[in-house]
Amino acid sequence: MSVTSRFRRILLCPNAFKGSLTAHEAARAMAEGVARAGGYETICLPLADGGDGTLETLVQATDGSLHTASVHDPLGRPINATWGRLGGAQSDTAVIEMAQASGLRLLREEEYAPLHASTYGTGELMRSALDAGCRTLLVGIGGSATNDGGAGMAQALGFRLLDAEGKDLPPGGAAIARLDRIAIDGSLLPPGLEVIVACDVNNPLCGPDGAATIYGPQKGATPAQVLQIDAALAHYAAVLCRTFGHNVAEAPGAGAAGGLGAGLLAFCAARLQPGTDMVLDVTGFDTRLKECDLVLTGEGRIDGQTTRGKVVAGVARRARAAGVPVIALAGSIAEGAETQLRPAGLTAALSIVNGPLRVEEAMQDGYRLLRDAAERTMRLLGAGDAPLA
């Protein structure tokens, strides 16, 4: 016997359950669970927060296409990397994940090179999209291996970064300490280009909260190298200001991805936007929300970081404004996290783990656990309208 309730159409919009399920797999598991409960329509809209998975999420949501480009990794080695083109009316829009070309995941730990790693490959990805006719670039800048302030990206896009002798700078964050001037006449950026950057951190470029100090150590920088990179980025910022007429160093997000945020602001006149908001806008979340009575979202863990630009918080805020309740399903929920999210619009957070399990077991069995949790949730919500046996 199927159970129905005042919730007729459910919007299923999870983020990835990191290490267990992609966002698309998570949405499919939720859909299966809701179908087992019976009596509901579902709309699947997998989401991302601007980090890993954003490329595939946006391309699939818009019926776009994936493209491969030959680029260089952070150490200058040739690799193939992927960028996406949105579909339909947005076909002049490309999605670039800098981690595809300049990400830390491309290096073994012993290869980390905080002084020399370059964003050149990211610029090559952008150039590939521009050569294909795209005139809006959505750029996700999480997971970088670099500390070069976007200098490599700029060089790939035709800008020349010159030292006092007029020689082109070599790759890496250490080299920008020798930057004397920037030649812009060779820029390959077309008129009317719009660059929107998915950025969920607000670090400035330099100083105690800057790119080198906060993120340099995780890329292999020693304390001495952190100071060296920070000084180089400060010098670089001064040259950028002199060249482009505005100081990007203090802009929130300038320090993201080893200063790539600052480079995109200066060279591309980019606009920085929270990654989740970008994804919600591109996927048409608000339009889909109007068609639904309930939202099921979720991700691997809900904790104090969730309120800082993660999918669950972004979904809850928009759903609250539309008067639609939101239930989040998660692998684990930190103490107090649900309470913190309620003012943002979260109705409830429920764990998908219904018994003692090791973390590894839960992640391996994530699909079944999420499917069953979605079924239990919808049966519970429909119980008030179910006839008594």
Side-chain angles (χ1 to χ4, degrees), residues 64-97:
S65 54
L66 295 173
H67 303 266
T68 300
S70 179
V71 302
H72 292 85
D73 78 359
L75 302 183
R77 300 172 298 199
I79 59 169
N80 289 325
T82 302
W83 62 274
R85 187 171 198 151
L86 302 188
Q90 303 179 86
S91 61
D92 68 342
T93 299
V95 185
I96 309 292
E97 276 189 9

Side-chain angles (χ1 to χ4, degrees), residues 104-118:
L104 197 63
R105 69 188 184 192
L106 299 174
L107 306 179
R108 299 188 303 272
E109 187 171 352
E110 61 269 23
E111 293 179 322
Y112 291 179
L115 298 179
H116 306 294
S118 171

Side-chain angles (χ1 to χ4, degrees), residues 144 147 201-203 209-221 255-258:
S144 78
N147 299 283
V201 302
N202 58 8
N203 303 79
D209 295 318
T213 306
I214 300 301
Y215 303 110
Q218 68 192 36
K219 303 172 189 181

Side-chain angles (χ1 to χ4, degrees), residues 31 192-193 262:
L193 174 66

Side-chain angles (χ1 to χ4, degrees), residues 323-364:
V324 180
V326 177
I327 295 175
L329 305 178
S332 64
I333 304 169
E335 184 176 356
E338 183 178 3
T339 302
Q340 290 178 351
L341 286 164
R342 282 187 185 138
L346 184 68
T347 305
L350 305 173
S351 174
I352 67 174
V353 180
N354 61 350
L357 276 179
R358 297 199 312 271
V359 173
E360 296 79 10
E361 292 175 320
M363 292 177 68
Q364 187 174 10

Side-chain angles (χ1 to χ4, degrees), residues 283-352:
T283 58
F285 174 84
D286 292 337
T287 299
R288 305 288 183 90
L289 184 63
K290 293 176 183 177
E291 305 170 6
C292 297
D293 312 300
L294 174 71
V295 173
L296 286 187
T297 185
E299 56 191 5
R301 178 171 171 79
I302 293 176
D303 55 24
Q305 296 297 315
T306 304
T307 60
R308 301 178 182 178
K310 297 298 185 180
V311 164
V312 169
V315 165
R317 280 193 298 270
R318 296 203 184 193
R320 181 184 183 185
V324 180
V326 177
I327 295 175
L329 305 178
S332 64
I333 304 169
E335 184 176 356
E338 183 178 3
T339 302
Q340 290 178 351
L341 286 164
R342 282 187 185 138
L346 184 68
T347 305
L350 305 173
S351 174
I352 67 174

